[in-house]
Amino acid sequence: MISVRHQGNWGMDIHHWDWVPGVGVISLMEYGTATGADKVIDYLLLWVNRNKRKAEGVRVINSLAPYALFPGLYRLTGDTWFLSKAQEIAAWMLETAPRTREGALEHTVTEAVDFPEQVWADTVYMAVLFLARLAGLTGDRGLAEAALQQTLLHLRLLQDPATGLLFHGWNCRDGSHMSAARWARANAWITLAVPGIVAETSRVVAVPEELSSRYRTLASALRQVQGENGLWHTVLDRPDYYQETSASAGIACGFLKAVKGGLLDDSFLENAGKALEGILPLIREDGEVQGVSGGTPVMPSIEAYNAIERYPALYGQGLVMQLLTEALNHPHLQHPQQTVPLNSEGKGGRRP
C-alpha cells in the first residue's frame, strides 16, 4: 500500500487527500492499533504531516475520509493540532456542508462534477464515521446526535423496504433511487461503518432503536444474497454479475464488528468466515488484492455496474486488511496453515 512504485496511480497512490487513500490510512490505523505495530502509527503520523497541506481548501464529503484518523492520533500523541483540526472540520460539516431537502449530507466529490441533492451510501463511511469518532473522543452530545441522525437518514432514504438491502443513491429532486441498483460496495460502506458509529456515540447518547433495527434488517438481507463461495456480487441481487472483493470484505468485517458490539448475534460469524475463505485466494503473494471494482458513481443503469473495470485500489487493500485485522479477535476464523509475506523485508507471517 505504501510502495513508491504506486505514485501517480489513481487507485494505489496513497499520497493525496481523498477517499481512496483515506480508506487506506483508516485501515492501516485499525491494523496498527489492533496489533500494537508502532511502525504503522509512525508511518501514519508521517503521512499526515506530508499530505495535510493538500487538504487545505478541499471541503467535500469524499475528502473527509482521512480525518477519521485524527481522534485516534490525538489519543495516541496528545497533539492538540489533531483535535483542533478535527473540530474545525466537524463544524464545517454541521454548519456549511450542503444538505438535501431532507437534511441529509449531499454527497460531494473532489472531481469537477456535481450531484445536487443526491444522497449516497458512501457518505456514512467517508464522513459520518469521522463525526462519530470525534463525538466519542470529546463527549460532545451535539456531534453524537448529528452522527446518529445522518446515519438514520441515510438508512431511511436508501433502504429498500421490499428486500432490506440498500440502494446506492437517492435523488431528492426526483424522489427516486435513480438506476435503483442495490450495489454491493454501497451496502458494505454502511454495514462496516454503523458498528463503529454506534460504539462511539453510545458512550454519549442513546442510539435510536430504529437504527439498530434497520441495521439488523440489512444484515439479514445481505446474508440471503451471499454467494456459495462466500462472496457477494457487485449488484447484490444479480447473481449473473461478477463478484466483488472490496464489498465482500467490507460486509464481512462489518458483521464481525457488529457481533462484537452486540448489534448482531453470533450466527453472523459463519457468514463472515465464509467470506474470509472466499477472499483469501484472491490475495496474491505480493499482497495485491484482486477483484476490486474501480471508483463507481451512481451509474445510469444497473447493467453499467457490471461493466466497471477491476484493478488494485487502496480501498480494496484496506477493506481486506480490516477484515483480516478483525479476524484476529475470532481465533476460530484463523487458518494458521496459510502464510504470506507481511512486509517489504519479506518476513513471513500468519494469515488470519
Side-chain angles (χ1 to χ4, degrees):
M1 293 171 68
I2 65 175
S3 173
V4 294
R5 67 186 172 88
H6 298 313
Q7 188 171 354
N9 180 326
W10 179 86
M12 289 295 290
D13 187 347
I14 204 166
H15 289 298
H16 57 112
W17 198 277
D18 202 359
W19 72 277
V20 176
V23 177
V25 294
I26 289 170
S27 306
L28 286 169
M29 182 79 170
E30 296 222 354
Y31 169 69
T33 53
T35 62
D38 291 341
K39 286 185 177 180
V40 176
I41 305 302
D42 290 343
Y43 172 80
L44 291 171
L45 291 169
L46 289 171
W47 181 88
V48 172
N49 188 57
R50 174 176 174 177
N51 294 288
K52 61 185 180 182
R53 290 180 181 83
K54 299 175 184 178
E56 296 301 324
V58 181
R59 292 286 171 86
V60 295
I61 289 299
N62 267 354
S63 72
L64 301 188
Y67 290 109
L69 297 181
F70 283 30
L73 291 177
Y74 173 72
R75 284 192 178 99
L76 290 171
T77 67
D79 185 341
T80 56
W81 180 83
F82 289 110
L83 178 59
S84 62
K85 180 57 70 171
Q87 290 174 324
E88 174 189 324
I89 297 302
W92 175 85
M93 284 180 64
L94 297 182
E95 299 166 11
T96 308
R99 304 290 183 101
T100 69
R101 62 196 66 191
E102 295 95 343
L105 288 164
E106 182 182 292
H107 192 79
T108 50
V109 299
T110 53
E111 293 84 359
V113 61
D114 293 324
F115 304 100
E117 288 228 43
Q118 287 190 21
V119 177
W120 293 13
D122 315 45
T123 296
V124 176
Y125 191 89
M126 305 308 163
V128 181
L129 179 61
F130 153 70
L131 203 62
R133 288 182 174 181
L134 183 59
L137 171 68
T138 62
D140 188 310
R141 291 181 60 88
L143 294 180
E145 289 169 352
L148 291 171
Q149 178 195 42
Q150 286 298 319
T151 304
L152 191 50
L153 266 174
H154 279 72
L155 284 168
R156 286 173 178 169
L157 293 171
L158 298 174
Q159 194 158 33
D160 176 13
T163 65
L165 300 171
L166 303 177
F167 294 107
H168 187 177
W170 168 257
N171 188 314
C172 301
R173 287 180 175 177
D174 300 339
S176 76
H177 292 106
M178 296 171 280
S179 58
R182 300 168 185 89
W183 181 50
R185 199 156 63 225
N187 283 257
W189 292 133
I190 289 184
T191 303
L192 181 57
V194 166
I197 291 168
V198 168
E200 295 286 357
T201 57
S202 62
R203 304 173 188 173
V204 185
V205 297
V207 176
E209 174 54 32
E210 182 188 351
L211 192 158
S212 301
S213 176
R214 283 184 176 275
Y215 185 83
R216 290 191 294 269
T217 297
L218 168 61
S220 296
L222 284 167
R223 67 176 171 185
Q224 295 301 313
V225 292
Q226 186 176 19
E228 287 296 320
N229 65 348
L231 304 182
W232 280 269
H233 297 269
T234 194
V235 177
L236 293 167
D237 53 349
R238 292 298 302 263
D240 54 324
Y241 284 14
Y242 69 76
Q243 292 180 317
E244 206 280 325
T245 311
S246 68
S248 299
I251 292 167
C253 187
F255 284 178
L256 293 180
K257 287 176 177 287
V259 169
K260 182 171 65 177
L263 276 171
L264 297 177
D265 63 61
D266 287 353
S267 67
F268 284 87
L269 296 177
E270 181 179 350
N271 300 91
K274 191 175 178 182
L276 181 60
E277 288 285 344
I279 288 169
L280 288 177
L282 299 174
I283 306 172
R284 295 187 351 175
E285 284 299 314
D286 64 359
E288 179 184 301
V289 175
Q290 300 174 295
V292 175
S293 63
T296 309
V298 177
M299 300 300 286
S301 68
I302 290 175
E303 291 73 22
Y305 285 86
N306 199 41
I308 296 292
E309 186 181 356
R310 284 161 284 179
Y311 48 77
L314 288 165
Y315 50 86
Q317 302 293 131
L319 292 175
V320 170
M321 176 181 282
Q322 287 193 47
L323 173 59
L324 299 178
T325 299
E326 197 62 37
L328 295 172
N329 296 317
H330 300 276
H332 63 286
L333 297 181
Q334 297 180 36
H335 302 269
Q337 75 279 6
Q338 296 178 315
T339 60
V340 291
L342 292 185
N343 54 39
S344 59
E345 287 78 23
K347 296 177 182 177
R350 298 293 181 183
R351 175 189 284 165

